[in-house]
Amino acid sequence: MSESKPEGIILTPEEKARRQRRSRAIALSVVGLVVLFYVITIFKMGPAILARPM
Amino acid sequence: MSDAGADIRREALISNADPSDFWALMKPRVMSLVVFTALVGMLIAPGNIHPVIGFIAILAIALGGGASGALNMWYDADIDQVMRRTANRPIPGGRVSGEEAKIFGLLLSFFSVMVLGLATNWLAGGLLAFTIFFYVVIYTMGLKRSTAQNIVIGGAAGAFPPVIGWAAVTGSIAIEPIVLFLIIFLWTPPHFWALALVKNEDYTRAGVPMLPVVAGEAATRRQILIYTILLTLSAFAPVALGFGHWLYLATGVIGSAMMLRWSWMILRAATPESDRKACWSMFGGSILYLFALFAALLVERIVFLALPLLARLTGVGA
């Protein structure tokens, strides 16, 4: 099998490292947002969150 | 494709940004003052807020401040590029594209307002949304490039945080946060005009009609003194209204005396060297002054909140 030459833009190691750091920051922000909405729900509604008609 | 064409295409497609660049877009130093003044507004408000909800509210207000900063840097990239003080900001520095900054700012605006509204109430959320709108649309897009009164009116955006903090706790607005608003509002012109006097050349080159550029340095010096007098008068309103006490009064007297001295030094500066020194003293000192006034209110409030608890623990007054 012949090795094909990569096409398009090839990232330098530094650009790859930056992209990875950006991806991590986005992941952390998304997780943070999920936790934030969870915490707001619990503290705003408190025990009432369980009191729903069955 | 030619090498130049490939480079342009590469630059358009590859982001050079580091997470720290997005942090810089949020103007962290401005954000810290926003957080602090909002916290004071929140703590002096009557009523209770769960500490966790209070923390989330402060976080949302901080993010709203950061959103304003990012959108301001997106719109002002052309000005920032020609000013020495701002030439290395993420967009003119070539690390973040204008489009990235705009989307980042819009996303932050949306989430900060949503989080504050959901966590506390929609008056606070609405006030935060209005503050972002005021700073970005009214000040950055409108006033900054069109009138020498830009920072006087635009200063209102920076004055809102204590009102938002108060509204987050009470769901309403009262005279106390309005007084805090007034103090920050009157503080802004002398603070920024002192900087504008030193950086006059930069602002002239960028075509920003700051007061020294439009009305001249002598008029600016007089205006600094006038606003400082108004500011120091308003600084005593919390004492008159009964929510500032001895510590605040002492801080106000000492701080106001220094502010008046600096503004007098700016008016009377005889040499370029003494002028520069007086302007930097006013610029840095005014930050300390505002911080000290709000810190005094904060400390007094914490002491008043802690006193009944201490009395209960020690049995005094039982």
Side-chain angles (χ1 to χ4, degrees):
Chain A
M1 200 162 62
S2 69
E3 215 172 275
S4 62
K5 198 180 160 202
E7 281 180 13
I9 292 166
I10 299 156
L11 298 183
T12 64
E14 175 57 24
E15 283 168 345
K16 272 187 190 163
R18 278 190 188 156
R19 184 176 65 177
Q20 196 168 37
R21 285 199 291 271
R22 282 199 307 273
S23 301
R24 271 196 211 124
I26 293 169
L28 270 177
S29 307
V30 172
V31 171
L33 211 55
V34 171
V35 172
L36 203 63
F37 277 103
Y38 177 77
V39 169
I40 291 172
T41 310
I42 298 299
F43 278 92
K44 284 291 278 186
M45 300 181 81
I49 201 166
L50 298 172
R52 58 193 177 117
M54 297 300 280
Chain B
M1 195 187 289
S2 69
D3 278 0
D7 280 350
I8 290 168
R9 186 165 171 265
R10 193 172 205 291
E11 249 173 51
L13 292 175
I14 303 296
S15 173
N16 239 343
D18 202 72
S20 62
D21 293 317
F22 287 97
W23 175 248
L25 278 179
M26 294 166 76
K27 299 192 178 179
R29 269 183 300 178
V30 176
M31 221 159 57
S32 63
L33 208 58
V34 166
V35 164
F36 186 60
T37 54
L39 181 70
V40 173
M42 194 178 268
L43 283 179
I44 65 162
N48 293 313
I49 187 167
H50 192 287
V52 173
I53 297 293
F55 173 78
I56 291 171
I58 289 292
L59 182 72
I61 297 169
L63 291 180
S68 309
L71 290 170
N72 167 273
M73 283 202 206
W74 156 65
Y75 195 81
D76 273 353
D78 56 335
I79 293 177
D80 288 348
Q81 201 167 18
V82 289
M83 289 184 54
R84 223 167 294 144
R85 188 173 69 91
T86 53
N88 199 31
R89 279 179 173 176
I91 304 175
R95 301 185 300 282
V96 175
S97 72
E99 198 63 17
E100 280 176 309
K102 184 174 78 178
I103 293 168
F104 178 64
L106 288 174
L107 274 175
L108 269 185
S109 305
F110 176 76
F111 280 110
S112 60
V113 171
M114 287 297 287
V115 166
L116 186 61
L118 288 169
T120 61
N121 57 71
W122 289 103
L123 175 67
L127 281 170
L128 182 63
F130 180 73
T131 305
I132 298 171
F133 169 80
F134 194 90
Y135 185 69
V136 176
V137 179
I138 308 286
Y139 169 68
T140 305
M141 297 181 178
L143 301 167
K144 185 171 178 179
R145 292 165 194 249
S146 63
T147 167
Q149 294 300 311
N150 47 16
I151 52 148
V152 178
I153 309 165
F160 268 112
V163 186
I164 304 172
W166 178 285
V169 176
T170 63
S172 63
I173 299 173
I175 186 73
E176 291 91 339
I178 293 174
V179 164
L180 298 184
F181 174 96
L182 189 71
I183 292 172
I184 304 177
F185 182 73
L186 292 170
W187 167 89
T188 311
H191 172 71
F192 280 108
W193 283 336
L195 178 73
L197 278 174
V198 181
K199 300 282 175 188
N200 198 354
E201 214 178 283
D202 257 6
Y203 283 112
T204 308
R205 200 170 45 228
V208 181
M210 293 296 280
L211 196 62
V213 179
V214 176
E217 293 196 357
T220 307
R221 290 167 208 279
R222 280 196 301 275
Q223 293 282 323
I224 286 178
L225 181 65
I226 292 168
Y227 272 96
T228 306
I229 291 169
L230 291 174
L231 165 66
T232 50
L233 287 175
S234 73
F236 292 102
V239 181
L241 288 166
F243 68 97
H245 303 276
W246 287 107
L247 178 65
Y248 179 85
L249 181 65
T251 311
V253 169
I254 297 168
S256 299
M258 293 179 80
M259 286 289 287
L260 287 168
R261 184 168 170 261
W262 289 322
S263 59
W264 186 253
M265 279 163 58
I266 290 175
L267 187 75
R268 289 283 170 208
T271 63
E273 191 49 44
S274 61
D275 180 41
R276 243 183 120 70
K277 209 175 142 205
C279 286
W280 280 123
S281 297
M282 170 60 101
F283 181 71
S286 55
I287 297 176
L288 268 179
Y289 174 68
L290 193 68
F291 178 80
L293 285 181
F294 277 74
L297 283 177
L298 191 69
V299 169
E300 284 180 346
R301 183 67 181 160
I302 290 169
V303 169
F304 281 121
L305 286 173
L307 275 181
L309 193 70
L310 274 175
R312 217 182 317 160
L313 284 174
T314 55
V316 178

